Every structure is written in C-alpha cells, then in structure tokens.
Amino acid sequence: MLDIKITKTTQPKQKPAPGQKLGFGHIFTDHMFIMNYTEGKGWHDPRIVPFQNLSLSPAAMVFHYGQEMFEGLKAYKNSDGEVFLFRPDMNAKRTNSSNERLCIPQLPEEDFVQAVRTVVDVDRDWVPTDPGTSLYIRPFIIATDEFLGVAPSKTYLFMVILSPSGAYYESGLEPVGIWIEDEYVRAVRGGMGFAKTGGNYAASLIGQVKAHNDGYSQVLWLDGVERKYVEEVGSMNIFFKIAGKVVTPMLNGSILPGITRNSVITLCKEWGYEVEERKVSAEELIQAHADGTLEEVFGTGTAAVISPVGKLRYKDDVMTIQDGRTGELSHRLYDTITGIQLGKLPDTHGWRVKVGE
Ligand SMILES: *Cc1c(COP(=O)(O)O)cnc(C)c1O
C-alpha cells in the first residue's frame, strides 16, 4: 500500500456545467498524482497535489530520446453518483509490459491501481454525468535524468492526470472512413508497437495527416515487414465480421494489446461467435468485400469503445461496408460494454471497479 500524501487545492477551478461541450483532452481537474523513482531507492514520495506545471531540466532525457510510456482509461459515474473504473488491473499489467520494453523500472500493479483510484476519488466531483461522457484518466511515466547520453534514465516521474471528456458520439454510433496506409508503417515486429509509448504516435502522425487530407478519419496500418497484413487503426484495434465469423489480427508484437479488444473477444465467444485471431491481409478484405461476405468492420479502444467503419480505402479500391451503416454486432458490443461500464448491466466478469466506499 502506498502512503499517499494529499494536498488539496485552495483555488478550485470552475467545473464544466452540465450540458457543456467537453471535447477530448482539453480540460483538466483540480489535482494530479505524482511519484518519483530514484535508482537505489525505488518508487517514493507518492502524493496528490494541485494540478500544476512541472519544472524539469531542458536536458531531461524524455525530451531527447523519448523514454516514456502512457496509459489511458476512464471513470464513469452512474445516476446514484457511484464512480467506476473498467478493468484497471489490465492497464497496470500493460504498464509493466511497456516499462519492460522501454527499460523503465517496474511499477507494482496494486500501486498503479491505488494511485488511479485515489486521485479519481479526490476529484470525483469532476466525473461528468451527461450521457456518453466520462473522466479520461492519463497515467504516464517520463525519464528525468539531466543527461544527454543515450542510456536508460536513473530517475523517473509517474503521474496521473484527469480530463473530463465529452461523448465520443453526439448522436449514436457514426461509421467512419478508414485509409489503409501502404507507404508508411507505424511499428515493426521487434520494435515497440505492443508498448503504449509516445514514439509510436510520433511515427503515426504523417499517415494520419495524409489520411485527413484525403477526407478519411483514421489510418489502418499494415505490417512493417511485408506491408500486406492489417494491424490496427490509429489508437484502436480492428475487427472484421467475415461470413459470420469474428476476425481480428493476432497479437504479433507490433500490435497494441487493447483491453477493449480483449473484452470484445471474450463477449463474442460467450455469444457463440467463432473468433479467429490470425493474419488478415488487405487482399483478403478486398476479396471478402467483392464476395459480399465482409459484413462488419469496427475499431475498438477506450475512447470510442466501438467505432464502426463505413468505408475502407486501399490503393485504388474504396469499399463501402454495410451501406455505411452500423452493423448489428457493433451495436450489441457497444451497448453491452458501455452498459457494464456504467453499471446498467450486470458485471459477470468482475470488470467493474468501484472508486471510494
Ligand atoms: C491504447 C491503444 C489501443 C486500444 O487499447 P484499449 O486498451 O482498448 O484502449 C489500440 N491501439 C493503440 C496503438 C493504442 O495506443
């Protein structure tokens, strides 16, 4: 158990009013969690302090070689004012798999969960309650040694910041257009694609800009070796329903193991679907579309939960899926997962974790 010292703000900020448009990642709450790591001493001085700027040397290693990791999860408030997290133990586990890849010291899973629960509880009045809204939670670790040599840092900061976020969908699930990128790649096997780290996103920006310029909302990345097999979309994993089966690229080291992905696989299996985790080539998708067996395409991730894909572009082919409408399975998954998150449906898997008493 961490002994977390709490210093409350004396100047609370104005909270967003009910009905106010929140957007994503613009507004921050009154407090943040912060804890230091020093080689030889381990993690120390866990504390919650007023949300504030950091003071770091311009030589801090994170600025130069990108040794950092992050996580993303959400807190939801139900009509009784209860606040829940969704599978935070999975974020704690993934933190350590990212840390291992990036030579960042391990962080005990229970300490990660305790830090998140405690800071969310302190700022629980910031969890929004309009339909579809939530409190986005961003835990992250940065390397802070004042040193320009290339080596793992000996000091780090672990922080958790909170951002009330708006409904991802303003009016029901809206299918998006996806660009299958055949020139740039996001990650390669042996690289750090499976880790949640800023460098992967830096590598992805150019493809994202290219897709946007062409009127597509996200990029579907191909594998970095053959540029043949689809891997994942922007910050989401990708699923296909092909001839009644649920198909998703297998985790091969360059794909981020999404917690939503894991939850979707669990639910689909329970509902009697055959689920295949395997290689899926862009050619197979074109063929399935031509045969009329490409029944649904959707992305999965914490932000949108389920993001139906209505249009897929690969080179000269533009495929329209489900006439650009949301499929039945996409709908059912969205309703089920958000229902569990909000406490509207029974939690038969123990996925929901309550914050506070
Ligand atoms: C975070 C992330 C996902 C989705 O993971 P969830 O745990 O479901 O939110 C998928 N792909 C990438 C690249 C990510 O960073």
Side-chain angles (χ1 to χ4, degrees), residues 279-296:
K279 287 182 173 181
V280 184
S281 68
E283 289 304 328
E284 175 183 351
L285 297 176
I286 291 173
Q287 195 56 53
H289 181 257
D291 296 348
T293 53
L294 185 58
E295 292 154 2
E296 290 188 40

Side-chain angles (χ1 to χ4, degrees), residues 9 12-16 26-33 49-52 119-120 122-128 135-136 160-164:
T9 183
K13 294 184 268 197
Q14 178 94 41
K15 292 183 187 67
H26 293 292
I27 304 168
F28 297 94
T29 65
D30 280 325
H31 299 91
M32 61 197 266
F33 175 89
V49 295
F51 185 91
Q52 60 193 268
V119 70
V120 169
V122 167
D123 276 340
R124 63 185 297 128
D125 291 346
W126 282 85
V127 185
L135 184 71
Y136 184 77
V160 184
I161 57 175
L162 309 170
S163 176

Side-chain angles (χ1 to χ4, degrees), residues 94 186 196 201 232 234-237 256 258-260 301-302:
R94 193 167 63 190
R186 184 192 86 100
K196 224 169 164 69
Y201 279 82
E232 59 179 317
S235 55
M236 290 186 290
N237 296 109
L256 198 288
I259 296 163
T260 320
T302 295

Side-chain angles (χ1 to χ4, degrees), residues 148-349:
L148 295 181
V150 178
S153 181
K154 294 177 168 63
T155 60
Y156 299 86
L157 285 175
F158 169 51
M159 289 170 275
V160 184
I161 57 175
L162 309 170
S163 176
S165 296
Y168 197 89
Y169 297 106
E170 306 249 303
S171 53
L173 293 178
E174 280 163 41
V176 295
I178 297 282
W179 170 282
I180 303 181
E181 174 57 44
D182 56 270
E183 181 188 3
Y184 299 109
V185 298
R186 184 192 86 100
V188 293
R189 251 157 288 153
M192 55 186 192
F194 67 89
K196 224 169 164 69
T197 182
N200 289 330
Y201 279 82
S204 77
L205 295 174
I206 193 167
Q208 183 71 31
V209 168
K210 200 172 143 188
H212 274 180
N213 288 344
D214 250 65
Y216 288 81
S217 74
Q218 298 255 11
V219 174
L220 175 54
W221 298 99
L222 295 177
D223 75 280
V225 181
E226 297 175 73
R227 281 189 276 192
K228 206 166 137 185
Y229 301 101
V230 300
E231 297 221 313
E232 59 179 317
V233 186
S235 55
M236 290 186 290
N237 296 109
I238 189 84
F239 281 78
F240 307 94
K241 186 161 160 270
I242 304 174
K245 285 185 198 168
V246 176
V247 181
T248 191
M250 64 190 188
L251 299 178
N252 60 358
S254 54
I255 295 175
L256 198 288
I259 296 163
T260 320
R261 175 186 184 278
N262 178 284
S263 309
V264 162
I265 291 173
T266 302
L267 291 172
C268 287
K269 285 183 177 166
E270 282 175 14
W271 295 342
Y273 285 99
E274 221 177 292
V275 180
E276 295 180 347
E277 293 180 67
R278 60 169 172 82
K279 287 182 173 181
V280 184
S281 68
E283 289 304 328
E284 175 183 351
L285 297 176
I286 291 173
Q287 195 56 53
H289 181 257
D291 296 348
T293 53
L294 185 58
E295 292 154 2
E296 290 188 40
V297 181
F298 54 93
T300 67
T302 295
V305 184
I306 301 293
S307 181
V309 176
K311 195 166 81 167
L312 263 180
R313 169 266 170 204
Y314 178 61
K315 295 185 180 166
D316 296 329
D317 281 290
V318 178
M319 300 171 256
T320 302
I321 321 292
Q322 281 264 354
D323 291 329
R325 283 176 292 111
T326 299
E328 202 178 309
L329 177 61
S330 306
H331 243 299
R332 185 175 180 199
L333 284 165
Y334 180 81
D335 291 344
T336 305
I337 295 174
T338 55
I340 296 171
Q341 287 168 336
L342 275 168
K344 285 185 189 158
L345 291 178
D347 175 27
T348 55
H349 307 89

